[in-house]
Amino acid sequence: MSSRSVNYTSSPLLASRTPLWRSRFIVALMALGFLALAGRAAYVQVFGNAFFQRQGEVRFARTLELPANRGRILDRNGLILASSVPAASIWAIPEDVETDKPEVKPKLKELARLMGMPLPALMAKLADEDKTFVWLKRQLDWDVGQQIHALGLKGIYQRKEYKRQYPEGEAAAHVVGFTNVEDHGQEGMELAFDKELAGKPGSRRVIKDRLGRVVEGVGADVPPIDGKDMQLSIDSKVQFFAYQKLRDTVTEHKAKAGSVVVLDAHTGEVLALANYPSYDPGKRVNLTGEQLRNRALTDVFEPGSTMKPITIGLALESGRVKPETIVDTTPGRITITGSTISDTHNYGVLTVEGVIQKSSNVGTTKIAMQMPAQEMWETFSAVGFGQKPQIAFPGAVSGRLRPYKSWRPVEQATMSYGYGLSASLFQMARSYTVFANGGKVIGATMLKTDQPAVGVPVFSERTANQVRKMLQMAAGPGGTGQKAQTVGYSVGGKSGTARKQVGKSYASGKYRAWFTGLAPIDKPRIIVAVMIDEPSNGVIYGGAVAAPVFSEVVQQTLRMMGVAPDMAVKPLIVTNAVEESL
């Protein structure tokens, strides 16, 4: 079969001549197009390469932070007070979560349950589809994170972080403090040594796709540097016992609050620092300022009768009196420039030792008025009053001690027995180191140390020994602090009770009761200070409210320290104990 022939020239379209310029124009356009593409490629790959690489990195390259493991906080025996554990933080890309699919809804309900949040709250976070990132829950337990991962929900992701655990709970809360969700210290030692504990995070440069998935790594990883461990001077067993006894006493006396400080008399180490009310640093929902306040360091008050040993110590040191010097306190009151100072009883004729034993305001005033105001101010300053404690801890206050040039005679009198100046309980505890170290006051520290503290001379060793004997009398039969006595150990100390100042006046019926002392009396190993704020169960005196806390804390602490008992007799407590003067 022969093929059919076609005569193309018979078509008028094909028979017409195409102008030569048209074909050249088309070829030129194609050439220009290729030149433009080549020029663009050259610009992108050569001349503008850096710019486009930056733009690509902005859109797809990310620097992932590799978190450092926060250092541990340990007590003096190596027991853990704070440590970090892995935690899962859950986040989402809302536009990728298929909330409208029936098979996904049960998984979302389970997700809400695992995160401990209502389902409507979860759906509200996922409702905005314009968002490409939203946190759902931070720092869940790691095993909970694994359960969430097993749900296989599209658009739900998680990041490994660390969260802090505090085994001692509320007992050590005011010492240890806590961190926020970003693992930065907010209170206590967590804040004071945040830089050392935090370490330095590392980094990893990666390329991510639009779903946030890592496609590849770029460059070398920078490994994180873990934080340093901090070993505190705190003994967790002493801390727990002191807190427990303080809590029970505040509850028993229906008080507003309380604090206790335990110092090592040789090194100045803080063995315990407890406050009540307290809080659980691992559960910080609905916390109040009352719970967070580290009252032992931040609250100042007029120390009252606990100042008397320091005033008497100065009088002894200057040679103006001796322990056996007679002081007539009759008729139990004295008038200074129109103001009357009174004792709770007319103690009549007392020795200087008896002035401390009976806690006589009149006797202390008569002795103090023999001394220049400047000498008293210098001694009070030397033992730490009016000065911020040099301790690595946030919130410590300086208290108030006015310059001696502004003292009126009646103010000099009242300051001698603890009114007209203010101090924290921590300052009171530290001031008594002058009697435990041969007349030298030593610094205090929250960090463990094996070296004896270097003291600053204030009194002679003889004066310190004389005052310690008076403190023992004050805590013994006939004294105001008889309930401070303990089984097996000799103790000495001074109770105090002061009206509570609110604004510029004293509140009616509101008192602070405290006791500060040391043990054993001949070779002191510890100093304990106790303060109970607003006892309101019928008993207000420091010798009745705070002294029993001192007694039990001293006994337990010395036993834990392995200090041999120095007494074989039981405490002798007289029923009609002397009440200290207000």
Side-chain angles (χ1 to χ4, degrees):
M1 180 177 174
S2 62
S3 61
R4 183 179 179 182
S5 62
V6 178
N7 188 0
Y8 291 99
T9 59
S10 63
S11 171
L13 293 175
L14 294 176
S16 63
R17 288 178 62 90
T18 302
L20 185 60
W21 67 269
R22 186 182 297 179
S23 60
R24 289 178 177 177
F25 178 71
I26 294 174
V27 172
L29 285 178
M30 294 177 64
L32 287 174
F34 279 112
L35 285 174
L37 291 174
R40 181 62 177 174
Y43 175 73
V44 171
Q45 297 294 329
V46 180
F47 303 106
N49 182 260
F51 170 79
F52 287 101
Q53 281 192 337
R54 287 194 301 270
Q55 293 302 307
E57 289 180 359
V58 168
R59 289 166 173 76
F60 300 105
R62 297 289 184 269
T63 299
L64 300 181
E65 182 181 281
L66 303 177
N69 193 2
R70 191 174 177 87
R72 300 175 301 170
I73 299 178
L74 310 172
D75 85 338
R76 64 184 301 104
N77 301 309
L79 298 178
I80 294 176
L81 299 177
S83 64
S84 295
V85 295
S89 290
I90 312 303
W91 61 279
I93 301 177
E95 63 181 356
D96 293 341
V97 182
E98 301 169 327
T99 56
D100 54 343
K101 288 189 176 182
E103 64 271 20
V104 174
K105 291 182 179 179
K107 293 184 178 182
L108 290 174
K109 185 177 181 180
E110 177 65 9
L111 173 63
R113 186 190 69 80
L114 289 171
M115 293 192 302
M117 62 190 303
L119 181 60
L122 171 61
M123 299 307 293
K125 289 191 173 186
L126 298 175
D128 190 351
E129 294 187 354
D130 291 335
K131 290 183 178 179
T132 58
F133 178 91
V134 61
W135 283 115
L136 298 182
K137 194 76 171 182
R138 301 289 296 274
Q139 296 187 347
L140 290 171
D141 290 341
W142 186 250
D143 58 343
V144 175
Q146 299 308 301
Q147 295 179 51
I148 292 174
H149 179 72
L151 293 176
L153 279 166
K154 183 181 177 182
I156 304 296
Y157 306 94
Q158 59 182 276
R159 175 185 175 185
K160 182 180 180 181
E161 294 184 324
Y162 291 96
K163 72 174 181 178
R164 298 295 263 179
Q165 286 189 338
Y166 303 95
E168 294 300 314
E170 61 184 26
H174 290 101
V175 172
V176 180
F178 58 86
T179 61
N180 60 13
V181 293
E182 302 296 339
D183 222 15
H184 298 311
Q186 300 296 294
E187 294 284 345
M189 299 305 285
E190 292 276 32
L191 174 59
F193 291 94
D194 184 55
K195 185 176 180 180
E196 293 83 353
L197 290 165
K200 187 176 181 180
S203 61
R204 182 189 179 198
R205 194 70 174 167
V206 299
I207 299 296
K208 285 187 174 183
D209 64 12
R210 62 173 296 275
L211 298 179
R213 297 174 299 194
V214 174
V215 177
E216 63 175 324
V218 180
D221 292 351
V222 178
I225 300 174
D226 289 341
K228 296 180 180 179
D229 291 345
M230 304 298 298
Q231 189 164 26
L232 306 187
S233 59
I234 296 294
D235 187 315
S236 58
K237 294 180 181 178
V238 176
Q239 177 76 23
F240 178 78
F241 182 84
Y243 172 76
Q244 190 177 49
K245 183 59 183 175
L246 177 69
R247 179 193 61 195
D248 294 346
T249 300
V250 169
T251 303
E252 176 187 352
H253 290 279
K254 297 180 180 178
K256 181 179 179 181
S259 301
V260 59
V261 177
V262 183
L263 296 181
D264 187 307
H266 291 171
T267 64
E269 293 172 293
V270 180
L271 302 178
L273 189 154
N275 298 279
Y276 187 82
S278 186
Y279 62 94
D280 185 345
K283 300 176 182 178
R284 301 186 297 275
V285 180
N286 299 324
L287 281 183
T288 65
E290 291 292 304
Q291 293 173 291
L292 288 172
R293 274 167 56 191
N294 192 339
R295 299 169 186 273
L297 283 165
T298 64
D299 285 17
V300 295
F301 51 87
E302 293 176 310
S305 295
T306 51
M307 285 294 296
K308 292 173 182 175
I310 298 172
T311 302
I312 299 302
L314 172 59
L316 293 169
E317 185 70 15
S318 65
R320 291 181 174 88
V321 299
K322 296 179 180 179
E324 62 274 11
T325 299
I326 298 299
V327 181
D328 188 359
T329 67
T330 307
R333 59 183 180 274
I334 185 173
T335 300
I336 304 290
T337 61
S339 299
T340 300
I341 294 170
S342 304
D343 287 334
T344 55
H345 302 83
N346 178 10
Y347 296 117
V349 176
L350 297 172
T351 62
V352 172
E353 289 179 336
V355 169
I356 293 296
Q357 183 184 29
K358 303 298 183 182
S359 193
S360 170
N361 291 343
V362 174
T364 305
T365 297
K366 285 191 170 184
I367 295 171
M369 298 311 289
Q370 302 176 33
M371 300 182 289
Q374 182 176 354
E375 287 187 22
M376 290 178 59
W377 181 88
E378 289 173 348
T379 301
F380 292 172
S381 296
V383 297
F385 293 106
Q387 301 177 32
K388 186 176 180 179
Q390 298 301 308
I391 184 171
F393 203 89
V397 296
S398 59
R400 179 172 175 265
L401 177 63
R402 292 189 295 108
Y404 65 89
K405 291 183 178 180
S406 66
W407 293 6
R408 294 177 297 155
V410 68
E411 291 173 329
Q412 179 177 346
T414 58
M415 286 188 190
S416 71
Y417 58 88
Y419 281 87
L421 71 162
S422 64
S424 67
L425 187 69
F426 188 86
Q427 287 175 302
M428 285 305 309
R430 179 180 175 255
S431 71
Y432 271 48
T433 63
V434 73
F435 304 126
N437 289 277
K440 296 178 180 179
V441 65
I442 63 175
T445 177
M446 294 291 293
L447 301 179
K448 183 180 180 182
T449 178
D450 297 322
Q451 300 299 321
V454 178
V456 177
V458 178
F459 301 138
S460 65
E461 186 173 354
R462 179 184 179 185
T463 297
N465 292 339
Q466 290 173 337
V467 175
R468 280 209 311 273
K469 180 183 176 182
M470 297 178 192
L471 292 173
Q472 185 178 22
M473 293 173 62
T480 60
Q482 298 178 41
K483 292 184 178 181
Q485 297 177 66
T486 188
V487 177
Y489 298 101
S490 59
V491 302
K494 190 71 190 72
S495 59
T497 309
R499 295 180 179 90
K500 190 172 179 180
Q501 190 172 8
V502 179
K504 295 184 178 181
S505 61
Y506 292 99
S508 176
K510 293 185 178 181
Y511 299 88
R512 281 191 176 97
W514 56 87
F515 192 95
T516 305
L518 58 171
I521 199 66
D522 289 332
K523 295 181 178 179
R525 286 298 311 278
I526 60 172
I527 297 165
V528 178
V530 180
M531 187 275 291
I532 306 298
D533 187 12
E534 293 187 27
S536 58
N537 199 21
V539 183
I540 63 169
Y541 291 103
V545 177
V549 181
F550 170 91
S551 173
E552 295 198 36
V553 171
V554 164
Q555 184 169 333
Q556 289 295 328
T557 302
L558 291 177
R559 285 179 178 177
M560 292 175 186
M561 295 175 69
V563 178
D566 66 336
M567 290 179 63
V569 296
K570 293 183 178 180
L572 179 58
I573 299 177
V574 180
T575 304
N576 56 342
V578 179
E579 296 174 349
E580 62 263 19
S581 300
L582 298 178

